[in-house]
Coordinates of all heavy atoms in Angstrom, one line a residue:
G203 N -59.0 -59.9 -4.0 CA -58.0 -58.8 -3.6 C -57.8 -57.8 -4.8 O -58.3 -57.9 -5.8
C204 N -57.0 -56.7 -4.4 CA -56.7 -55.7 -5.3 C -55.2 -55.3 -5.0 O -54.8 -55.1 -3.9 CB -57.6 -54.5 -5.1 SG -57.2 -53.1 -6.1
P205 N -54.5 -55.1 -6.2 CA -53.0 -54.7 -6.0 C -52.8 -53.2 -5.7 O -51.7 -52.9 -5.2 CB -52.5 -55.0 -7.3 CG -53.5 -55.1 -8.3 CD -54.8 -55.3 -7.5
L206 N -53.9 -52.4 -5.9 CA -53.7 -51.0 -5.5 C -54.0 -50.7 -4.1 O -54.5 -51.6 -3.4 CB -54.6 -50.2 -6.5 CG -54.4 -50.3 -8.0 CD1 -55.2 -49.3 -8.7 CD2 -52.9 -50.2 -8.3
K207 N -53.7 -49.5 -3.7 CA -53.8 -49.2 -2.3 C -54.5 -47.8 -2.1 O -54.0 -46.9 -1.4 CB -52.5 -49.2 -1.5 CG -51.9 -50.6 -1.4 CD -50.9 -50.6 -0.3 CE -50.3 -52.0 0.0 NZ -51.4 -53.1 0.2
C208 N -55.7 -47.6 -2.6 CA -56.4 -46.3 -2.4 C -56.6 -46.0 -1.0 O -56.9 -46.9 -0.2 CB -57.7 -46.3 -3.2 SG -57.3 -46.6 -5.0
T209 N -56.3 -44.8 -0.6 CA -56.3 -44.4 0.8 C -57.7 -44.5 1.5 O -57.8 -44.4 2.7 CB -55.7 -43.1 1.1 OG1 -56.3 -42.2 0.2 CG2 -54.2 -43.1 0.7
Y210 N -58.8 -44.4 0.7 CA -60.1 -44.4 1.2 C -60.8 -45.8 1.2 O -61.9 -46.0 1.5 CB -61.0 -43.5 0.3 CG -60.9 -43.7 -1.2 CD1 -61.7 -44.7 -1.8 CD2 -60.0 -42.8 -1.8 CE1 -61.4 -44.8 -3.2 CE2 -59.9 -43.0 -3.2 CZ -60.5 -43.9 -3.8 OH -60.4 -44.2 -5.3
C211 N -60.1 -46.8 0.8 CA -60.6 -48.2 0.5 C -60.0 -49.2 1.5 O -58.8 -49.2 1.7 CB -60.4 -48.5 -0.9 SG -60.8 -50.2 -1.3
W212 N -60.9 -50.1 2.0 CA -60.4 -51.1 2.9 C -59.7 -52.2 2.1 O -58.7 -52.7 2.5 CB -61.5 -51.7 3.6 CG -61.2 -52.9 4.5 CD1 -61.1 -54.2 4.0 CD2 -60.9 -52.9 5.8 NE1 -60.8 -55.1 5.0 CE2 -60.6 -54.3 6.1 CE3 -60.8 -52.0 6.8 CZ2 -60.3 -54.7 7.4 CZ3 -60.4 -52.4 8.0 CH2 -60.2 -53.7 8.4
A213 N -60.3 -52.5 1.0 CA -59.9 -53.7 0.2 C -58.4 -53.6 -0.1 O -57.6 -54.6 0.1 CB -60.7 -53.9 -1.1
G214 N -57.9 -52.4 -0.6 CA -56.5 -52.3 -1.0 C -55.6 -52.3 0.2 O -54.5 -52.7 0.1
Q215 N -56.1 -51.7 1.3 CA -55.2 -51.5 2.5 C -55.1 -52.8 3.3 O -54.0 -53.2 3.7 CB -55.8 -50.4 3.4 CG -55.9 -49.0 2.7 CD -54.6 -48.3 2.6 OE1 -53.7 -48.5 3.4 NE2 -54.5 -47.5 1.6
D247 N -65.8 -58.7 -7.8 CA -64.3 -58.5 -7.7 C -63.9 -57.1 -7.4 O -64.5 -56.1 -7.8 CB -63.7 -58.9 -9.0 CG -64.0 -60.3 -9.5 OD1 -65.2 -60.5 -9.7 OD2 -63.1 -61.2 -9.5
D248 N -62.8 -56.9 -6.6 CA -62.3 -55.7 -6.3 C -61.5 -55.2 -7.5 O -61.5 -54.0 -7.8 CB -61.3 -55.7 -5.2 CG -62.0 -56.0 -3.8 OD1 -62.9 -55.2 -3.5 OD2 -61.6 -56.9 -3.2
A249 N -60.9 -56.1 -8.3 CA -60.0 -55.7 -9.5 C -60.2 -56.7 -10.6 O -59.3 -57.4 -11.0 CB -58.5 -55.6 -9.0
N278 N -69.4 -53.1 -8.9 CA -68.2 -52.7 -8.1 C -67.2 -52.3 -9.1 O -66.6 -53.0 -9.9 CB -67.7 -53.9 -7.3 CG -66.8 -53.5 -6.2 OD1 -67.1 -52.5 -5.5 ND2 -65.8 -54.2 -6.0
A279 N -66.8 -51.0 -9.1 CA -66.0 -50.3 -10.1 C -65.0 -51.0 -10.8 O -64.2 -51.8 -10.2 CB -65.5 -49.1 -9.5
H281 N -61.6 -50.8 -13.3 CA -60.4 -49.9 -13.5 C -60.3 -49.4 -14.9 O -60.1 -50.3 -15.8 CB -59.1 -50.7 -13.2 CG -59.0 -51.0 -11.8 ND1 -59.5 -52.1 -11.2 CD2 -58.4 -50.2 -10.7 CE1 -59.2 -52.1 -9.9 NE2 -58.6 -51.0 -9.6
E306 N -64.0 -41.2 -9.7 CA -63.9 -40.4 -8.5 C -63.8 -38.9 -8.8 O -64.6 -38.1 -8.2 CB -62.8 -40.9 -7.5 CG -62.5 -42.4 -7.4 CD -63.8 -43.2 -7.1 OE1 -64.9 -42.6 -6.8 OE2 -63.8 -44.4 -7.2
T316 N -54.4 -40.0 -3.2 CA -55.3 -41.2 -2.7 C -54.9 -42.5 -3.3 O -55.6 -43.5 -3.1 CB -56.8 -40.8 -2.9 OG1 -57.0 -40.7 -4.4 CG2 -57.3 -39.7 -2.2
G317 N -53.9 -42.6 -4.2 CA -53.5 -43.9 -4.7 C -53.4 -44.0 -6.2 O -53.1 -45.1 -6.7
K319 N -55.3 -44.2 -8.9 CA -56.1 -45.2 -9.6 C -56.3 -45.0 -11.0 O -56.3 -45.9 -11.8 CB -57.5 -45.3 -8.8 CG -58.4 -46.4 -9.3 CD -59.5 -46.7 -8.4 CE -60.6 -45.6 -8.4 NZ -61.6 -46.0 -7.5
Ligands
SF4_2 S1 -58.5 -49.7 -6.9 FE1 -60.6 -50.0 -6.1 S2 -60.5 -51.9 -4.9 FE2 -58.4 -51.3 -5.4 S3 -57.6 -50.1 -3.6 FE3 -58.5 -48.6 -5.1 S4 -60.7 -48.3 -4.6 FE4 -60.0 -50.2 -3.5

Side-chain angles (χ1 to χ4, degrees):
C204 176
L206 301 189
K207 288 203 178 307
C208 301
T209 52
Y210 44 84
C211 169
W212 174 277
Q215 300 287 331
D247 301 65
D248 293 307
N278 197 43
H281 292 88
E306 320 308 350
T316 60
K319 180 166 75 175

